Amino acid sequence: MQAPSDDEFDATISKALDSLPKKYTTRMDNVAIVIADDPSPDQRTKLKLRCNQTLFGLYEGVPLSKRGSNYTWVLPDKITLFKNPLVSVSRDMNDFYKHVRHTLWHEMSHHFGLDHEQIHRLDGTIEDTIKEG
């Protein structure tokens, strides 16, 4: 599939965000969603990714479950979605949208304090949760 423009990628993210359950999206606090073509060398090093490992998205910040009363005047958390890795696993724009939505949901789960083990356990119910809206 041909890579979408940044505007098309942004529109796909907005559509995916709109499709997620409002009971979660409205509870996101102090978080920015940004795009990048690929993870930076620093991000790859920080995550100890090997050259054959792909990263679709990244949550950087303080999860809601870890924020205390002293959580003030803090820069926004950041969810980064990486266009090229998402394109590389997509057959077409519909498939791309599904990967973007799933990656966004995964990174939002980190914002709510879930770790990878908890997220993977819930992966089977994610689509049902998304459909419930």
Side-chain angles (χ1 to χ4, degrees):
M1 118 170 219
Q2 181 177 340
S5 68
D6 286 348
D7 287 341
E8 291 169 320
F9 188 26
D10 192 44
T12 301
I13 293 168
S14 293
K15 180 181 172 187
L17 188 59
D18 288 345
S19 78
L20 297 174
K22 300 295 179 232
K23 65 184 176 182
Y24 298 109
T25 58
T26 57
R27 290 180 41 219
M28 290 185 49
D29 183 40
N30 198 34
V31 61
I33 299 171
V34 300
I35 63 172
D37 287 338
D38 294 288
S40 71
D42 286 342
Q43 289 168 323
R44 293 187 63 80
T45 299
K46 181 179 173 184
L47 294 170
K48 299 178 182 161
L49 294 177
R50 294 183 300 258
C51 61
N52 64 339
Q53 289 181 298
T54 301
L55 188 66
F56 301 120
L58 179 63
Y59 170 75
E60 298 171 288
V62 179
L64 291 177
S65 61
K66 303 258 190 226
R67 295 179 185 180
S69 59
N70 62 344
Y71 184 82
T72 57
W73 301 100
V74 178
L75 291 174
D77 292 0
K78 182 167 61 167
I79 291 175
T80 307
L81 297 177
F82 301 108
K83 180 169 52 173
N84 291 333
L86 288 161
V87 167
S88 74
V89 297
S90 301
R91 294 180 305 274
D92 54 31
M93 280 304 286
N94 188 50
D95 198 38
F96 180 71
Y97 165 75
K98 289 177 183 177
H99 287 293
V100 167
R101 182 179 66 183
H102 188 270
T103 302
L104 181 57
W105 179 252
H106 179 102
E107 301 311 328
M108 284 174 57
S109 297
H110 287 306
H111 175 69
F112 289 109
L114 298 178
D115 62 27
H116 280 111
E117 184 178 315
Q118 293 167 314
I119 294 169
H120 290 299
R121 249 190 327 226
L122 294 172
D123 265 350
T125 61
I126 286 176
E127 281 302 314
D128 291 336
T129 303
I130 291 172
K131 289 175 188 170
E132 288 172 9

